[in-house]
Amino acid sequence: MITLQNIVFPDPDICTEIDLYVRLNNLVGLDRPNETLQFCAGGVADFGTYFNALSIGKWHKACGLDNLWLELTGSGTLELEIFHALPDQSWNIQQCEIVTLDGAPALIDISRYSDTSEKGMLYFRLKALSDAQITDARFTTERVLPALPRLAVSITTFKREAAVQNTVSRLESYLQGYEHKDNIHIFVVDNGKSAQITESAQTSYYPNDNLGGAGGFARGLQTAIKRDFTHVLFTDDDAAFPMESLHRSFVFLALASDSRTAIAGAMINNTHKWAMWENGAWFDRKCHPLHSHLDLRDLGALAHMEFTSERDHYDTMYGGWWFFAFPVEHAKFHPYPFFVRGDDVSFSIANDFNITLLNGVVSFQDGFIEKENPQTWYLDLRSHMAHHLSLESMDIGSTGVSKIAIMFLLRNLVKFQYDTMETCLLAWEDVMKGPQFFLDNKDMAERRGRIKSMVKNEVWRAVDPQKLQQVASPHRHIPRWKLALYKFSLNGHLLPLLGMGIGPVVLAPQERGNLHVIWGARAVTYLNTDRDMAYTTKRSAARGLGLMWRATKMFFKFRAAYPKLVKDYRETYPKIAGQDYWTEVYKDT
């Protein structure tokens, strides 16, 4: 029997939102250290959850399952219900039966789902008819595995010694008892040369020059090719993913009939661990995260996410490199030397992967909001423009590409983030230097220093929370005529607001991207997550309009240069994002 999914419980080191794992009534207790459920008669445990439901539509379609079993281990007598959640129609109770457990694994055939539909999601519910215990549960199939993948888990790190050591320790501890451990190996590519990772039978360590995430992951892919691995999993040094994510991905890749199959792990923000941040994403002029902010505790919302992610296809879908597993043979293009930001987008779109999203395959990460700064805006704009210049399938013309830069600038203009506008203009200038700029600046050393010197105001500084005014409400009512005035005036840059503004505002951390809160303000204070650091921006019509005048001149310059520029990017992309380029970069390692 092959285990498709193990039933998992909250991990105190990652996530303790119990409703993401199991819903219990007050006659069931979770013994978390032993990962068991203790039932009194009448106790109910519902596994229709993000981590423990089975998206049978995805497994059936990709892996061609012809049988499915639920294995339960425990003791006592329970009522078992198998639910089949179906898109666009009523859900079925596929089975309802009494099971008596005696400590040995009990197998229940649940293959009848295909009589109704091969789509949708399966989950089960247990009701104790006596005192009972569940010590283990899993979905399995009877199948002879073809040749197993050889999976390299490639971690890129830079000066995050404790984080990467913890991640490696978690992985090694899990793999010690994992049945397929001989087919999985950990690579640590250390751009800071400081991680002090001890090599073992399970882990290899590679000190590396700091060429950013792009260079680090390119090194991991190069090494995987040299060592004959069939698949690579790119993941972060602080990757807080449940180890079950690794198992589900490995088995899915092993069973998938399409050799192009890749798996994009979701991301959940550590601030709100019950909410999806991104369940895959697609790119067109900007990043479009899927199912962002969805409440994963809600079964209906969860089912909708699984149904749509099974059904919908995006030509420009990509997987973030907090967890992205892919087949080496279909990685025709390697990471583009963006340093960081955008390398994962380009990699997914350029290569012919068939990307799948599996519930429960997820990494818990610190959010991007607090990481947002003038340098990340610079990096994002560079890569956004380069994607459309480099990939013929994403051609939107000179005006379309220019609008990306204009929107970056306008978004920061109305927030009075003039330092960020300066770095965005620098990004636009650098893109216009052509692809050779990325080759000459693959370590970003000069640019990082220059950007640091440009940023004078938008720097986190310690604040006393007691002295801050109350944070602005994201739900404040703005009359339509007044909102139109704010927008037409670019938040007071083109026209004085003459007493119709709202003075200074303080933004809650989660509202940094919400423009509604700052309309009419004359100054904005941005808080970090802990609300002990902040910076304040103030309206300066002269500086803001001066920067937009520079952008106007850049627009016409870019349009004139566009034909040659797009030709250069497209002709050089196969070389710059090619294996031979990175082989040359790392020829002496």
Side-chain angles (χ1 to χ4, degrees):
M1 303 294 283
I2 300 168
T3 300
L4 306 181
Q5 284 189 192
N6 294 287
I7 298 304
V8 294
F9 294 113
D11 182 340
D13 294 327
I14 296 179
C15 176
T16 58
E17 292 280 353
I18 192 167
D19 284 351
L20 269 59
Y21 299 84
V22 61
R23 281 182 284 274
L24 307 173
N25 71 2
N26 59 5
L27 295 175
V28 188
L30 169 62
D31 180 358
R32 196 160 61 190
N34 295 310
E35 296 190 326
T36 62
L37 292 176
Q38 303 285 349
F39 294 77
C40 294
V44 176
D46 187 331
F47 292 90
T49 61
Y50 174 67
F51 280 105
N52 287 323
L54 179 72
S55 283
I56 191 60
K58 297 175 185 178
W59 284 91
H60 191 101
K61 179 180 179 181
C63 304
L65 302 182
D66 56 15
N67 64 89
L68 184 66
W69 303 77
L70 175 64
E71 181 184 297
L72 297 175
T73 305
S75 60
T77 301
L78 304 102
E79 178 187 74
L80 167 67
E81 292 179 293
I82 305 294
F83 293 83
H84 191 178
L86 295 163
D88 304 319
Q89 58 184 292
S90 297
W91 298 4
N92 294 331
I93 300 179
Q94 175 183 303
Q95 290 168 234
C96 182
E97 58 189 83
I98 306 302
V99 296
T100 299
L101 305 176
D102 59 6
L107 279 172
I108 299 98
D109 187 352
I110 58 173
S111 306
R112 286 166 45 195
Y113 71 87
S114 59
D115 294 345
T116 304
S117 174
E118 296 167 353
K119 298 180 179 180
M121 185 175 77
L122 293 176
Y123 64 95
F124 67 98
R125 180 186 298 160
L126 293 170
K127 178 180 179 181
L129 304 181
S130 67
D131 287 353
Q133 182 184 67
I134 292 293
T135 59
D136 198 9
R138 66 193 70 211
F139 291 102
T140 68
T141 190
E142 193 171 9
R143 178 93 164 265
V144 176
L145 273 176
L148 288 172
R150 295 194 68 243
L151 177 66
V153 180
S154 182
I155 303 168
T156 295
T157 185
F158 178 75
K159 301 294 186 183
R160 293 169 61 92
E161 295 84 0
V164 72
Q165 288 166 13
N166 180 61
T167 297
V168 171
S169 176
R170 290 180 62 244
L171 281 164
E172 288 193 332
S173 177
Y174 174 75
L175 290 174
Q176 281 179 5
Y178 186 54
E179 60 180 321
H180 303 305
K181 66 179 180 181
D182 292 339
N183 287 73
I184 300 177
H185 194 81
I186 305 162
F187 296 166
V188 177
V189 180
D190 182 11
N191 286 352
K193 301 180 181 180
S194 61
Q196 298 180 341
I197 297 295
T198 301
E199 291 197 309
S200 68
Q202 212 71 60
T203 302
S204 297
Y205 173 70
Y206 301 97
N208 202 51
D209 291 338
N210 185 20
L211 303 182
F217 286 119
R219 175 79 183 274
L221 178 53
Q222 291 276 313
T223 305
I225 292 170
K226 289 179 184 177
R227 296 180 59 172
D228 294 324
F229 283 86
T230 62
H231 292 76
V232 177
L233 167 61
F234 284 166
T235 188
D236 284 339
D237 51 12
D238 60 347
F241 60 82
M243 290 297 107
E244 175 67 11
S245 295
L246 182 60
H247 167 75
R248 294 180 188 182
S249 300
F250 184 87
V251 173
F252 195 92
L253 293 171
L255 292 175
S257 57
D258 186 346
S259 63
R260 301 174 302 124
T261 299
I263 295 176
M267 177 187 159
I268 293 177
N269 190 327
N270 280 325
T271 305
H272 299 295
K273 295 187 176 185
W274 47 265
M276 179 60 70
W277 181 268
E278 175 178 310
N279 188 40
W282 57 282
F283 184 87
D284 181 13
R285 297 169 175 85
K286 64 179 182 178
C287 300
H288 300 266
L290 296 170
H291 309 110
S292 188
H293 306 299
L294 182 139
D295 187 343
L296 294 169
R297 299 167 297 187
D298 183 327
L299 177 58
L302 168 66
H304 175 73
M305 180 181 78
E306 290 306 297
F307 297 159
T308 55
S309 61
E310 176 189 342
R311 179 193 66 218
D312 295 346
H313 173 75
Y314 299 89
D315 291 335
T316 58
M317 188 170 181
Y318 67 91
W321 284 355
W322 47 78
F323 192 107
F324 186 67
F326 61 90
V328 170
E329 69 170 305
H330 292 285
K332 177 182 177 182
F333 297 103
H334 288 220
Y336 198 88
F338 285 126
F339 192 73
V340 293
R341 296 274 180 157
D343 39 9
D344 49 4
V345 177
S346 172
F347 185 74
S348 291
I349 296 173
N351 288 306
D352 186 23
F353 297 138
N354 181 10
I355 298 176
T356 296
L357 307 167
L358 290 176
N359 61 295
V361 177
V362 62
S363 183
F364 290 81
Q365 307 273 139
D366 291 335
F368 292 127
I369 297 298
E370 193 166 319
K371 297 177 182 177
E372 185 180 285
N373 58 53
Q375 180 169 287
T376 61
W377 280 88
Y378 165 88
L379 293 164
D380 280 341
L381 180 54
R382 281 195 331 171
S383 64
H384 281 38
M385 298 180 77
H387 297 328
H388 286 287
L389 290 166
S390 302
L391 303 173
E392 188 172 0
S393 62
M394 300 191 69
D395 185 13
I396 55 174
S398 63
T399 301
V401 179
S402 295
K403 283 182 177 177
I404 298 173
I406 296 297
M407 292 308 297
F408 268 58
L409 290 160
L410 287 175
R411 192 168 184 86
N412 284 285
L413 176 71
V414 299
K415 296 163 69 176
F416 319 140
Q417 295 195 147
Y418 306 122
D419 288 352
T420 296
M421 292 181 69
E422 294 275 10
T423 63
C424 287
L425 287 168
L426 178 63
W428 199 349
E429 292 174 0
D430 289 345
V431 168
M432 290 182 61
K433 294 173 182 175
Q436 187 62 40
F437 173 83
F438 292 93
L439 297 179
D440 294 340
N441 291 272
K442 58 182 176 290
D443 65 357
M444 269 282 290
E446 187 277 333
R447 273 297 180 263
R448 281 181 284 149
R450 181 171 174 182
I451 290 170
K452 185 176 181 180
S453 69
M454 292 168 65
V455 178
K456 307 297 185 184
N457 184 56
E458 296 164 36
V459 179
W460 295 112
R461 297 179 176 89
V463 294
D464 182 354
Q466 302 298 322
K467 296 181 179 179
L468 291 171
Q469 69 185 71
Q470 185 175 358
V471 297
S473 170
H475 307 296
R476 71 181 249 251
H477 173 69
I478 306 176
R480 291 178 63 180
W481 68 268
K482 188 176 283 190
L483 182 60
L485 173 64
Y486 291 156
K487 291 183 176 181
F488 178 77
S489 70
L490 298 178
N491 212 16
H493 284 89
L494 292 178
L495 295 170
L497 297 181
L498 300 176
M500 289 181 286
I502 58 171
V505 299
V506 177
L507 243 57
Q510 67 271 21
E511 302 299 336
R512 284 192 70 188
N514 184 359
L515 295 184
H516 184 81
V517 186
I518 55 90
W519 290 120
R522 68 169 182 268
V524 183
T525 296
Y526 300 87
L527 294 174
N528 70 344
T529 299
D530 293 332
R531 305 193 182 207
D532 59 357
M533 304 281 284
Y535 66 84
T536 299
T537 60
K538 299 178 180 179
R539 186 194 308 126
S540 169
R543 188 178 180 191
L545 295 178
L547 290 167
M548 290 308 297
W549 175 243
R550 284 174 54 191
T552 302
K553 292 189 290 184
M554 189 81 70
F555 172 82
F556 290 105
K557 184 178 178 182
F558 180 80
R559 290 195 62 178
Y562 182 80
K564 181 178 185 306
L565 204 57
V566 75
K567 180 174 181 291
D568 289 346
Y569 272 98
R570 291 182 186 168
E571 287 182 352
T572 60
Y573 188 89
K575 174 187 174 184
I576 295 176
Q579 180 179 347
D580 290 346
Y581 168 73
W582 288 108
T583 299
E584 179 65 21
V585 170
Y586 291 123
K587 65 181 178 180
D588 297 325
T589 59

